[in-house]
Structure formats: structure tokens, C-alpha cells
Amino acid sequence: MSLVPRSFGRRSSVFDPFSLDLWDPFESVNSPFFGDIGHPGRNDAAAIANTQLDWKETPDAHIFKADLPGLKKEEIKIEVEDDRVLKISGERTKEEEKKTDKWHRIERSHGKFLRRFRLPENAKLEQVKATMENGVLTVTVPKQPQPKPEVRAIEISG
């Protein structure tokens, strides 16, 4: 069970202290409940701009996973900024339209996306690794080991 609320199937970052995404109060206007399904005026760039990622923490690392079907690794850029911000960006280009083609539906999103996450203090920024397999991007940020508490025996006098 997640402590981060979900709104119409999209995970909201309102209560996520590490997310740098901004909450858009008008975002729900584009939900399927307001007639966005196949709407010709739909903002496709906004659809990919909200690329959803999973972030899990294991004892050894922070792991980010994003479904990016159809993108090549060369179309994705991963950076770590000085202030411990992980930045994942890229662009999916729109398929070229020919005058002889007759489109019945365009639902796949295209455009640029950008996600930024502030990494915790224990992240090893120099050892970030990324892999792309079957359209799933996995970014692994190793963690520094927790210092073991020093236990010292105290002699009882008297």
C-alpha cells in the first residue's frame, strides 16, 4: 500500500518530499472522466511530459524504473546535477504523416519529457548506472552503507 495518493490512475507527487514535479490543479480536466479519450485537441506533449516512474529503495540502492516503449537509449538523457538532483529527460518524435495516409486514431503520445528527483544524502552520485531493456529504463543509484553503531561497554564502579 502506498502512502502517495493516486488520482484517476496517476500517482500524484503532491506529498512526495523528494519529487520536484509541480502539482497542476487543472490536470484532472484532462482525465478520461472529462472526455479526453481520443479527443483531437488533446495535448500529446503533456501526456509524455507526465512520464510515470517507480522509485523503490532497497538496502543497497535507490532504483528508478520508467516504461519508455519505442524509445532508444540514445533518445534518453540521464544527468545528476550538483545539488543531488537526478534528471531523466528525452523526446519521442511524432510519426511522419503522409498525405496518402488516412489516420483513424492517434493515441500514442509524443513530445519531450523531463522528470527530476532530489536524491537523499546517502546516494553515491558517482556510481549511478542505467540500463534499457525491452522499453524499460532502470536507473540504479547505490547507497552509502549505514554506519554501524559503535557499542562500548561501560564498567560499573563501586
Side-chain angles (χ1 to χ4, degrees):
M1 181 174 173
S2 174
L3 296 176
V4 180
R6 295 176 72 81
S7 62
F8 299 122
R10 182 182 176 276
R11 185 171 286 178
S12 171
S13 62
V14 175
F15 300 107
D16 184 355
F18 295 111
S19 177
L20 296 176
D21 296 340
L22 297 176
W23 175 62
D24 182 2
F26 301 104
E27 178 180 50
S28 62
V29 174
N30 291 328
S31 79
F33 299 104
F34 290 96
D36 185 41
I37 300 175
H39 188 273
R42 180 177 155 207
N43 184 353
D44 287 326
I48 196 168
N50 292 323
T51 298
Q52 297 180 2
L53 283 101
D54 294 337
W55 176 0
K56 76 175 176 181
E57 182 176 354
T58 67
D60 302 322
H62 295 275
I63 300 171
F64 298 83
K65 286 192 176 200
D67 292 335
L68 299 172
L71 288 182
K72 299 176 187 132
K73 64 181 183 178
E74 296 81 18
E75 298 171 318
I76 302 167
K77 188 175 183 182
I78 303 168
E79 300 173 307
V80 177
E81 297 175 346
D82 290 337
D83 51 351
R84 293 184 346 270
V85 174
L86 175 67
K87 186 166 121 179
I88 302 172
S89 61
E91 182 173 8
R92 179 177 291 134
T93 56
K94 187 175 182 181
E95 189 172 330
E96 190 175 316
E97 296 181 27
K98 299 177 185 171
K99 295 203 179 219
T100 58
D101 294 342
K102 180 180 177 184
W103 290 86
H104 293 277
R105 243 175 139 65
I106 300 175
E107 294 183 345
R108 295 185 308 148
S109 57
H110 63 276
K112 294 181 180 184
F113 67 91
L114 169 65
R115 295 296 306 270
R116 296 173 57 186
F117 299 93
R118 183 168 310 282
L119 297 169
E121 294 285 337
N122 66 350
K124 291 183 179 179
L125 304 179
E126 320 77 42
Q127 298 178 9
V128 176
K129 294 182 180 168
T131 60
M132 182 81 160
E133 187 175 334
N134 297 326
V136 178
L137 173 70
T138 303
V139 179
T140 304
V141 182
K143 292 170 40 178
Q144 296 174 2
Q146 291 284 349
K148 294 185 179 181
E150 185 178 311
V151 178
R152 193 176 64 139
I154 308 294
E155 191 177 311
I156 301 172
S157 62

